[in-house]
Short mmCIF file of all heavy atoms in Angstrom, two decimals:
data_model
loop_
_atom_site.label_atom_id
_atom_site.label_comp_id
_atom_site.label_asym_id
_atom_site.label_seq_id
_atom_site.Cartn_x
_atom_site.Cartn_y
_atom_site.Cartn_z
N MET A 217 9.20 13.73 8.66
CA MET A 217 7.74 13.73 8.87
C MET A 217 7.21 12.29 8.94
O MET A 217 6.32 11.99 9.73
CB MET A 217 7.03 14.45 7.72
CG MET A 217 7.08 15.95 7.82
SD MET A 217 5.87 16.66 6.66
CE MET A 217 6.44 18.35 6.68
N ILE A 218 7.78 11.42 8.10
CA ILE A 218 7.38 10.01 8.11
C ILE A 218 7.68 9.41 9.49
O ILE A 218 6.84 8.74 10.10
CB ILE A 218 8.17 9.21 7.03
CG1 ILE A 218 7.73 9.64 5.62
CG2 ILE A 218 8.04 7.70 7.24
CD1 ILE A 218 6.47 9.02 5.09
N GLN A 219 8.88 9.68 10.00
CA GLN A 219 9.26 9.08 11.28
C GLN A 219 8.45 9.63 12.44
O GLN A 219 8.08 8.91 13.35
CB GLN A 219 10.77 9.20 11.48
CG GLN A 219 11.45 8.13 10.64
CD GLN A 219 12.94 8.25 10.55
OE1 GLN A 219 13.50 9.33 10.71
NE2 GLN A 219 13.61 7.14 10.28
N LYS A 220 8.09 10.91 12.36
CA LYS A 220 7.24 11.48 13.40
C LYS A 220 5.84 10.84 13.33
O LYS A 220 5.24 10.52 14.37
CB LYS A 220 7.14 13.00 13.24
CG LYS A 220 6.37 13.63 14.38
CD LYS A 220 6.61 15.11 14.51
CE LYS A 220 5.85 15.63 15.74
NZ LYS A 220 5.69 17.08 15.73
N ALA A 221 5.34 10.64 12.11
CA ALA A 221 4.03 10.01 11.94
C ALA A 221 4.04 8.59 12.53
O ALA A 221 3.08 8.17 13.19
CB ALA A 221 3.65 9.99 10.46
N ILE A 222 5.13 7.86 12.30
CA ILE A 222 5.24 6.49 12.85
C ILE A 222 5.22 6.56 14.38
O ILE A 222 4.54 5.77 15.04
CB ILE A 222 6.52 5.79 12.33
CG1 ILE A 222 6.41 5.55 10.81
CG2 ILE A 222 6.73 4.45 13.07
CD1 ILE A 222 7.68 5.04 10.16
N SER A 223 5.90 7.54 14.95
CA SER A 223 5.93 7.66 16.41
C SER A 223 4.55 8.01 16.97
O SER A 223 4.26 7.76 18.14
CB SER A 223 6.96 8.72 16.84
OG SER A 223 6.45 10.02 16.60
N LEU A 224 3.66 8.55 16.11
CA LEU A 224 2.31 8.90 16.55
C LEU A 224 1.28 7.82 16.17
O LEU A 224 0.08 8.08 16.19
CB LEU A 224 1.90 10.25 15.95
CG LEU A 224 2.62 11.47 16.54
CD1 LEU A 224 2.33 12.71 15.71
CD2 LEU A 224 2.22 11.70 17.99
N GLY A 225 1.75 6.63 15.79
CA GLY A 225 0.81 5.52 15.59
C GLY A 225 0.56 5.09 14.17
O GLY A 225 -0.25 4.20 13.92
N VAL A 226 1.23 5.70 13.19
CA VAL A 226 1.08 5.23 11.81
C VAL A 226 1.86 3.92 11.66
O VAL A 226 3.05 3.87 11.97
CB VAL A 226 1.57 6.29 10.80
CG1 VAL A 226 1.75 5.71 9.41
CG2 VAL A 226 0.59 7.46 10.75
N SER A 227 1.18 2.85 11.23
CA SER A 227 1.80 1.53 11.17
C SER A 227 1.88 0.97 9.76
O SER A 227 2.45 -0.09 9.54
CB SER A 227 1.00 0.54 12.02
OG SER A 227 0.74 1.08 13.28
N LYS A 228 1.26 1.66 8.81
CA LYS A 228 1.29 1.20 7.41
C LYS A 228 1.39 2.43 6.55
O LYS A 228 0.64 3.40 6.75
CB LYS A 228 0.00 0.43 7.10
CG LYS A 228 -0.24 0.07 5.64
CD LYS A 228 -1.48 -0.82 5.53
CE LYS A 228 -1.94 -1.11 4.13
NZ LYS A 228 -2.69 -0.01 3.50
N ILE A 229 2.35 2.42 5.62
CA ILE A 229 2.55 3.56 4.74
C ILE A 229 2.51 3.09 3.29
O ILE A 229 3.22 2.14 2.92
CB ILE A 229 3.88 4.28 5.05
CG1 ILE A 229 3.88 4.74 6.52
CG2 ILE A 229 4.08 5.47 4.10
CD1 ILE A 229 5.18 5.35 6.99
#
Side-chain angles (χ1 to χ4, degrees):
M217 281 194 194
I218 291 278
Q219 282 170 336
K220 186 162 183 197
I222 294 172
S223 76
L224 289 170
V226 166
S227 311
K228 171 174 172 282
I229 302 175

